[in-house]
Amino acid sequence: METVMRDKLFVPALPTLWPGMLLHRGPPSGFMPFSASNVRYFYFARNAIWTTVKMLGLDSGEVLMPAYHHGVEVEAVVDAGATPRFYRVGGRWDVDLEDVEKKIGPKTRALYLIHYAGFPGPVEEMRRIADKHGLPLIEDCALSLLSADGPVPLGTTGDIGIFCLYKTLPMPHGGALTVNGPRQYSLPEPPLPPSSSTFSHTVSSLLQNLELRGGSIGRGVRGLVRGLGKGAVKAADIERVATGTQHFDRRHVDLGMSPFAHRIAQAQDLEGVVERRRRNYFFLLGRLRDVSSPLFNQLPAGVCPLFYPLVVDNKEEVLERLRARGIEAIDFWKHFHPACDASAFPEVARSRRTIVEVPCHQDLTPEVMAEVATVVRGALTREPRNQKHAG
Ligand SMILES: Cc1ncc(COP(=O)(O)O)c(C=O)c1O
């Protein structure tokens, strides 16, 4: 039986900004992309992808990309002038390396690998294939900040590493492009984003933090301030460049990262972030494996999970139930990019129909995770809505 909760659960999809992070500044980080010698910061990861296509001169040819993709990374490649071609990914997010080799042709200009939700893809093997064919390898770590394949940090094996900072850390925005190896590209410093946008995202995240810590009082204050804030944003005609959106927008392609966002990155205890995410993931793995077969049965060394990928048959219903109970679960990658023929990739189509993101980020305490597990179990074990009762 489910436990009755004293206060409404609030489990935000992303980590929130703690007020202390506005003042604190930690030692220099050993994690990518902060430790990279050649790095450029952007507002979004998608800007880094667009810049990569232009920088490497891929716009005259094809980029070989996984059929399992978000869509915005493909949009950035297309907008920059390259043609995406897709390779097979299996039901356990396993890249079909034979298909990669098979799809390389005279027009191929680069290989593109995505590390899914912190779980490393076969980057060594992709490196070997890229070298054999004289192609650059782009390693997309947008969903895999702070993650490593054992001792090897993700984003260091490809010629290019792409990172999104605001999905893992409570930053108002932030993406990065790292150039690895001997290539000496020197990129211009992108212009700063509108400070009103940075301010607006920062306030939202602080308010979420208040709700996270303050229960019903925090929720009330957040509701009040949000109402006032929306009016103020409208009245002042503030430009808010939204993060986490589905589509690429050329108008924002040049935007860089603000010094304020850098400061927040420097205030993070990154080792602690990895440890807490692993702890929370591991807890869900143990508590949910009997009600939903895990996509990954273990958490390999070095992995910093972005979320817990919950496999369900009735995705819409489960999402609705979790959200109704205060868990901001997300529909993971429902759609193919229109350039990708869905019928050619049935396993990917199935993944798109069945995977729900359950938060396991650093803000969630063991007590909250216990409630999350209980709610998820309840959502999975309830009968499907349209099931008819016999008799
Ligand atoms: C694999 C992948 N690459 C790139 C991006 C783009 O990230 P951003 O929102 O920082 O542009 C996303 C966004 O979700 C993604 O999932």
Side-chain angles (χ1 to χ4, degrees):
M1 210 179 83
E2 268 181 33
T3 48
V4 177
M5 275 158 266
R6 270 167 284 115
D7 201 356
K8 195 172 184 295
L9 192 59
F10 173 55
V11 179
L14 299 179
T16 64
L17 187 59
W18 293 68
M21 291 173 182
L22 298 173
L23 306 169
H24 180 76
R25 207 177 259 227
S29 164
F31 283 91
M32 287 289 280
F34 311 107
S35 59
S37 54
N38 195 354
V39 55
R40 265 288 170 268
Y41 291 97
F42 295 88
Y43 196 86
F44 295 118
R46 61 197 75 180
N47 296 5
I49 298 166
W50 191 93
T51 305
T52 298
V53 172
K54 294 294 187 193
M55 183 176 82
L56 298 183
L58 311 177
D59 37 356
S60 56
E62 289 177 356
V63 178
L64 204 44
M65 305 184 80
Y68 199 32
H69 48 254
H70 174 280
V72 75
E73 71 288 62
V74 183
E75 286 189 14
V77 164
V78 171
D79 189 275
T83 306
R85 193 159 182 223
F86 299 94
Y87 60 80
R88 197 186 142 259
V89 177
R92 300 207 173 264
W93 297 353
D94 44 316
V95 166
D96 183 341
L97 294 162
E98 259 179 48
D99 197 43
V100 173
E101 283 238 53
K102 225 164 58 193
K103 299 251 165 85
I104 295 174
K107 291 189 191 152
T108 312
R109 295 284 174 276
L111 303 187
Y112 196 105
L113 175 69
I114 297 176
H115 297 292
Y116 301 111
F119 289 87
V123 69
E124 271 307 320
E125 292 85 343
M126 288 290 276
R127 177 77 270 169
R128 267 199 292 279
I129 298 174
D131 289 344
K132 184 170 142 195
H133 294 269
L135 298 167
L137 173 63
I138 302 167
E139 223 183 319
D140 183 332
C141 313
L143 304 188
S144 300
L145 188 74
L146 314 181
S147 218
D149 190 354
V152 183
L154 300 188
T156 55
T157 309
D159 298 84
I160 301 291
I162 303 286
F163 299 86
C164 173
L165 311 183
Y166 70 82
K167 291 190 203 330
T168 302
L169 304 176
M171 294 170 59
H173 53 254
L177 187 173
T178 61
V179 184
N180 304 319
R183 285 187 177 80
Q184 290 299 315
Y185 291 102
S186 122
L187 294 163
E189 191 68 61
L192 296 182
S195 46
S196 51
S197 183
T198 305
F199 177 74
S200 155
H201 284 288
T202 302
V203 171
S204 298
S205 191
L206 283 169
L207 288 173
Q208 285 212 328
N209 182 262
L210 189 67
E211 179 164 353
L212 188 74
R213 290 180 301 132
S216 53
I217 299 174
R219 187 161 55 249
V221 175
R222 182 174 169 225
L224 191 72
V225 178
R226 274 172 95 187
L228 293 173
K230 270 192 191 136
V233 165
K234 236 180 165 170
D237 201 16
I238 286 176
E239 188 192 351
R240 193 179 200 267
V241 182
T243 50
T245 54
Q246 295 296 311
H247 297 289
F248 181 82
D249 185 338
R250 171 76 76 88
R251 286 175 305 161
H252 301 138
V253 74
D254 282 332
L255 287 186
M257 187 164 110
S258 64
F260 180 75
H262 275 287
R263 264 195 82 100
I264 293 177
Q266 282 172 357
Q268 304 299 311
D269 163 17
L270 299 179
E271 275 91 4
V273 169
V274 177
E275 199 185 302
R276 289 195 291 277
R277 283 177 174 269
R278 286 182 62 90
R279 175 197 69 198
N280 292 345
Y281 186 100
F282 209 68
F283 179 79
L284 288 181
L285 184 63
R287 287 282 285 125
L288 301 177
R289 61 170 17 129
D290 62 323
V291 283
S292 163
S293 176
L295 201 58
F296 301 107
N297 242 321
Q298 47 178 320
L299 195 53
V303 170
C304 175
L306 187 66
F307 55 80
Y308 184 86
L310 182 71
V311 184
V312 299
D313 286 327
N314 47 341
K315 197 170 178 175
E316 301 298 333
E317 273 176 57
V318 170
L319 279 167
E320 206 180 296
R321 287 174 191 163
L322 297 183
R323 288 172 187 162
R325 295 295 304 270
I327 299 176
E328 287 186 357
I330 290 182
D331 188 343
F332 186 58
W333 289 4
K334 192 172 180 176
H335 300 294
F336 283 89
H337 184 277
C340 185
D341 174 10
S343 67
F345 302 103
E347 301 104 319
V348 174
R350 178 164 169 72
S351 296
R352 292 187 187 281
R353 280 196 307 274
T354 54
I355 293 184
V356 166
E357 291 186 28
V358 177
C360 68
H361 56 74
Q362 59 268 31
D363 280 355
L364 307 175
T365 61
E367 293 73 30
V368 170
M369 290 315 295
E371 292 192 41
V372 170
T374 303
V375 172
V376 173
R377 289 183 69 84
L380 290 180
T381 46
R382 262 167 60 178
E383 287 168 9
R385 204 192 295 124
N386 52 4
Q387 188 172 307
K388 298 259 187 324
H389 289 274

